[in-house]
Amino acid sequence: MAAVNVAEIAEAVKAAITAALDGWAEAFDADEVPGVTRGDTPGADTPQRHATVHVLRTDLNAARRASGEVSIPVLSLRVVSHAESIANVREIRRRVCGALEDVALALPSGGTAGPFVFDLAEDEDDDDTGWFGVDHFTFA
């Protein structure tokens, strides 16, 4: 089985989300968000509306991990939507789900990632940067 390239998958996810946001907001890796401390451009202004993409390898069956049984890893995606209002966070989340749910994305190296299956939504909340909401997906 070929190694999973999570960076390549993250790029495809960011492109799909950014297209769905249609210039209204943009998707980034967490360390790419302009203005974020320890990010690529810490001195820049952080965009009010954006989504951060986090792709992770997971095995959701803890018993199987301990058994030594060989399994195909599940991949998980966490998308954190950020905006200046709860209404705009909800709009970003709606567009993210529309771009990803039950969709398989083509990868530059060939093959696909997905289809993405919606797993869990966390309530919107606020912090010192504004409002945010988190959506979780699984895929293979």
Side-chain angles (χ1 to χ4, degrees):
M1 183 163 121
V4 175
N5 185 340
V6 294
E8 180 182 40
I9 295 168
E11 288 300 320
V13 169
K14 289 187 303 183
I17 292 172
T18 296
L21 294 171
D22 196 26
W24 188 69
E26 191 174 350
F28 301 94
D29 277 322
D31 66 342
E32 293 176 337
V33 180
V36 173
T37 305
R38 294 184 299 246
D40 291 346
T41 53
D45 291 332
T46 302
Q48 270 192 320
R49 299 179 192 140
H50 65 278
T52 56
V53 170
H54 310 264
V55 178
L56 306 162
R57 288 177 57 117
T58 58
D59 186 344
L60 302 177
N61 186 337
R64 184 173 55 216
R65 282 195 304 260
S67 73
E69 179 183 329
V70 176
S71 63
I72 297 171
V74 172
L75 294 158
S76 66
L77 169 65
R78 181 171 54 117
V79 180
V80 184
S81 301
H82 303 265
E84 73 285 3
S85 70
I86 196 167
N88 286 340
V89 166
R90 289 176 177 158
E91 177 62 15
I92 293 171
R93 296 175 87 171
R94 184 188 68 77
R95 293 184 190 202
V96 165
C97 286
L100 298 177
E101 199 165 0
D102 300 322
V103 172
L105 300 175
L107 300 175
S109 65
T112 59
F116 293 85
V117 178
F118 179 78
D119 190 39
L120 174 71
E122 296 179 32
D123 291 340
E124 292 89 0
D125 201 356
D126 64 328
D127 63 14
D128 60 346
T129 66
W131 287 89
F132 66 93
V134 184
D135 295 294
H136 300 264
F137 300 84
T138 55
F139 64 103

